[in-house]
Amino acid sequence: MSSMVSPANLCPHWETRALHELERSGRFVLGMDFPNTRRIVLVARSGERTYRRKLPKNLRYPRRAKSPPEFGTDRFWKNKPITGQPTSHRDSNRNEIPSPADENPWVGNYDDDDEEREEQEEEKEGADDIAWDPDEIEAISSLFRGRIPQKPGKQNRERPLPLPLPYKIRPLGFPSPKKHARMASSTAISSRQSLSKKIYKNPSFLIGLAKEIRSLPPEEALSTVLNKWSRFLRKGSLSLTIRELGHMGLPNRALQTFCWAQKQPHLFPDDRILASTVEVLARNRELKMPFDLQKFTSLASKSVIEAMLRGFIKGGSLELAWKLLVVAKDGRRLLDPSVYAKLILELGKNPDKNTLVLTLLEDLGERDDLKLNQQDCTAIMKVCIRLGKFEIVESLFDWFRRSGHDPSVVMYTTLIHSRCSEKKYREALAVVWEMEGSNCLFDLPAYRVVIKLFVALNDLSRAVRYFLKLKEAGFSPTYDIYRDLFTMYMVSGRVAKCKEICKETEMAGFVLDEQMKSQLLQ
């Protein structure tokens, strides 16, 4: 660097001042003039300082760990910047002599310390230019003071209470045991239950007990079987055993079981065992009727009277059942409507009992708490069709739907048959479309009734369509279905189809009657 050209030889006289200033600072400048008035100025450091590459900012200013602010101080609070200066100060700045660097645009200060100083000044100037509003300063400062104060007017705001949680409401203690053991895991609960709780309601055990009693010799007492299971039984357990003995045709063993239970203080008194025994004896016509029925109905419970009625109805003792029902009605004993339905169904089979059936129907119509299941309701509708009481059929169907139940295919079929019997074919056709709309699966009686409806409407195409659906569903057509289709084909003059139906009928195992043979020969 000692062989550098002197700046006085390279630059003109008017620039020597700036160059001499650079020499004093320990720097050398190389300058060169070109004809196009462009100048290149080269600045070099003296030998006293070695050249090193400028480091990036992240290495020059390493990040230090942030220390928490002092307690009670606001880091974001800044004094308002001084935007103006006095006029005398600005005038004094104008009168100052410019520095050589300001006069010469081609000469620049390339000191690293000067660059750092300039950057810091720029950052300070940029920070001083930001003007904070008092509201913003207050909001930022409040973040470091604690909770933000509420606005005036919402100081006494009432918040809704949280919803109660089940685990907080539930009292402390052990969980209660499950009541329905069958719905839970059998392996988990069976280990916690005693043997008596496992078997006293178990149907397989109680039916097996009846089979064990049946296997005893006639001269042997059944106490030999019941005594060893006595401590595991509870009230109501033997009612299923007694009914099973009745189904096996052993009413005497059922009565003996009841007599044995009477001697057990933990099993009797119990109306369930008494009702089962009365029903079995009444069904087998081995029940001795009391002389004073009024006293019996006033003392006996409702379940025992209903069990006696069901036994009489199943055993065919309809006169005794009617007599008992009349006495209970006179004594203002309200019995279950299902007992009325069963008695109506049995009395409706005998045309001579139509007056009794109408009386029972009137009694049911006066009941406000009418409760009938679908089977009983359908049975009453069928009896009313035989009696020609079509309005009762319609009212029962409407009541069943209003009660929130969905009619089954049996009830739909009964309603279609009722309207066909009343010659209301268009109304019956509306029920068919309702069945189709509700995706109701047709059974064989439903197909049979619907085909008869289309035969009555003389709609051959729909009758044939449902006949094909019947066979696609896997049902075998009955003889009356074949005969109805034969009649429709014969009326329409399609003899070939009539011969095909006759051939299919003979292949199904039916024998053609004389009327079909004569029509086929014509």
Side-chain angles (χ1 to χ4, degrees):
M1 298 299 293
S2 60
S3 61
M4 296 294 292
V5 183
S6 175
N9 298 330
L10 292 175
C11 302
H13 177 75
W14 59 276
E15 295 179 354
T16 55
R17 180 182 177 183
L19 295 178
H20 282 295
E21 293 291 335
L22 293 174
E23 285 182 356
R24 291 194 191 99
S25 62
R27 301 181 184 180
F28 294 94
V29 180
L30 294 179
M32 186 176 293
D33 292 333
F34 291 94
N36 55 359
T37 67
R38 294 182 181 179
R39 171 171 293 185
I40 299 176
V41 179
L42 302 177
V43 180
R45 295 179 182 272
S46 63
E48 298 176 358
R49 299 180 64 178
T50 57
Y51 172 78
R52 60 187 176 89
R53 189 175 180 181
K54 185 171 67 174
L55 297 175
K57 286 185 179 182
N58 59 345
L59 297 180
R60 282 184 290 170
Y61 310 109
R63 182 177 294 177
R64 294 179 298 176
K66 294 182 179 182
S67 59
E70 296 181 3
F71 181 76
T73 59
D74 294 332
R75 294 183 300 170
F76 295 93
W77 184 271
K78 294 183 181 294
N79 295 327
K80 294 185 178 179
I82 301 173
T83 56
Q85 292 181 354
T87 308
S88 60
H89 182 69
R90 291 198 298 266
D91 295 341
S92 62
N93 290 339
R94 289 199 194 104
N95 298 329
E96 288 182 358
I97 300 173
S99 63
D102 296 336
E103 292 179 358
N104 191 1
W106 291 281
V107 179
N109 191 359
Y110 293 89
D111 192 0
D112 292 341
D113 299 336
D114 297 339
E115 290 181 1
E116 295 175 3
R117 194 179 300 108
E118 289 177 359
E119 290 177 358
Q120 292 178 2
E121 290 177 358
E122 289 178 359
E123 292 178 358
K124 289 180 180 179
E125 290 177 359
D128 293 342
D129 293 340
I130 300 175
W132 297 90
D133 294 335
D135 295 338
E136 296 176 348
I137 295 173
E138 180 65 22
I140 295 173
S141 301
S142 65
L143 296 176
F144 301 93
R145 288 198 299 265
R147 183 179 177 184
I148 300 176
Q150 298 285 341
K151 292 183 179 180
K154 294 186 178 180
Q155 297 290 339
N156 299 326
R157 184 178 60 177
E158 295 182 0
R159 300 181 63 183
L161 295 176
L163 295 177
L165 300 176
Y167 65 90
K168 292 185 178 181
I169 297 176
R170 185 184 305 142
L172 298 177
F174 295 101
S176 58
K178 296 180 180 179
K179 296 181 180 179
H180 303 286
R182 295 180 184 177
M183 299 176 62
S185 176
S186 58
T187 57
I189 295 183
S190 59
S191 60
R192 297 180 299 184
Q193 288 182 342
S194 61
L195 184 61
S196 60
K197 291 183 179 179
K198 292 180 184 178
I199 65 176
Y200 84 97
K201 282 186 178 180
N202 192 356
S204 59
F205 164 72
L206 298 173
I207 294 174
L209 196 61
K211 293 179 180 179
E212 192 173 354
I213 293 173
R214 181 184 60 180
S215 62
L216 291 175
E219 64 278 359
E220 187 175 355
L222 51 83
S223 59
T224 56
V225 177
L226 296 176
N227 286 337
K228 59 182 179 180
W229 297 107
S230 174
R231 59 194 180 97
F232 300 112
L233 298 176
R234 298 291 183 271
K235 285 188 177 182
S237 299
L238 291 177
S239 60
L240 181 58
T241 305
I242 293 172
R243 287 198 301 269
E244 190 66 24
L245 289 172
H247 293 312
M248 293 176 182
L250 300 173
N252 293 328
R253 288 294 188 182
L255 182 59
Q256 292 174 9
T257 304
F258 174 74
C259 294
W260 176 86
Q262 280 184 313
K263 301 176 183 179
Q264 310 299 324
H266 67 287
L267 299 180
F268 200 81
D270 185 18
D271 283 345
R272 288 171 289 182
I273 300 177
L274 178 59
S276 300
T277 307
V278 169
E279 182 177 353
V280 169
L281 295 177
R283 185 170 66 244
N284 291 274
R285 299 186 178 184
E286 294 188 7
L287 181 64
K288 296 181 179 180
M289 287 294 296
F291 295 101
D292 192 355
L293 282 178
Q294 294 181 354
K295 184 178 180 181
F296 169 75
T297 54
S298 61
L299 296 176
S301 63
K302 177 182 175 182
S303 59
V304 174
I305 297 175
E306 291 176 355
M308 186 179 293
L309 278 171
R310 285 193 297 268
F312 286 146
I313 293 170
K314 292 178 182 178
S317 303
L318 299 181
E319 294 182 359
L320 292 176
W322 173 259
K323 186 177 180 180
L324 180 61
L325 187 63
V326 170
V327 173
K329 181 182 176 182
D330 295 339
R332 296 183 179 180
R333 301 296 301 269
L334 290 177
L335 303 180
D336 192 80
S338 61
V339 180
Y340 285 82
K342 290 179 175 58
L343 187 56
I344 288 172
L345 180 61
E346 295 298 327
L347 292 176
K349 298 177 182 178
N350 189 356
D352 298 334
K353 307 293 183 179
N354 291 342
T355 55
L356 302 180
V357 172
L358 294 176
T359 304
L360 293 176
L361 289 174
E362 292 177 0
D363 294 342
L364 282 180
E366 295 175 357
R367 296 282 294 269
D368 296 333
D369 56 341
L370 185 61
K371 294 181 181 179
L372 293 172
N373 57 22
Q374 194 169 19
Q375 185 178 1
D376 295 335
C377 192
T378 307
I380 296 175
M381 290 170 65
K382 291 180 179 179
V383 174
C384 292
I385 292 173
R386 296 194 202 107
L387 298 177
K389 301 294 182 179
F390 303 110
E391 64 279 359
I392 300 180
V393 177
E394 297 288 342
S395 61
L396 271 176
F397 183 79
D398 294 338
W399 169 84
F400 189 79
R401 295 187 65 177
R402 286 196 308 270
S403 58
H405 303 288
D406 295 328
S408 64
V409 62
V410 181
M411 186 169 287
Y412 276 123
T413 305
T414 306
L415 183 62
I416 294 172
H417 178 56
S418 173
R419 294 183 178 180
C420 289
S421 302
E422 201 178 355
K423 308 298 181 182
K424 293 182 178 180
Y425 301 117
R426 294 298 176 184
E427 290 79 358
L429 189 60
V431 179
V432 177
W433 302 146
E434 184 179 348
M435 293 176 66
E436 293 285 355
S438 60
N439 296 326
C440 183
L441 294 177
F442 284 63
D443 55 359
L444 182 59
Y447 280 114
R448 183 179 176 185
V449 171
V450 170
I451 290 174
K452 286 185 176 182
L453 172 62
F454 291 127
V455 169
L457 291 172
N458 199 17
D459 194 344
L460 180 60
S461 60
R462 287 175 176 169
V464 173
R465 187 200 311 168
Y466 277 90
F467 178 73
L468 296 177
K469 283 184 177 182
L470 182 148
K471 292 194 290 186
E472 289 176 359
F475 298 110
S476 298
T478 57
Y479 181 75
D480 55 347
I481 294 177
Y482 283 120
R483 186 171 181 176
D484 291 338
L485 288 177
F486 177 83
T487 304
M488 292 191 69
Y489 281 129
M490 186 61 66
V491 171
S492 60
R494 304 176 65 176
V495 181
K497 283 290 184 181
C498 292
K499 293 181 179 180
E500 184 179 346
I501 290 294
C502 290
K503 185 178 180 180
E504 186 177 350
T505 304
E506 291 177 349
M507 290 178 64
F510 298 107
V511 179
L512 300 178
D513 55 6
E514 296 298 332
Q515 185 179 0
M516 294 179 63
K517 290 180 180 180
S518 62
Q519 289 179 358
L520 188 60
L521 293 176
Q522 292 178 1

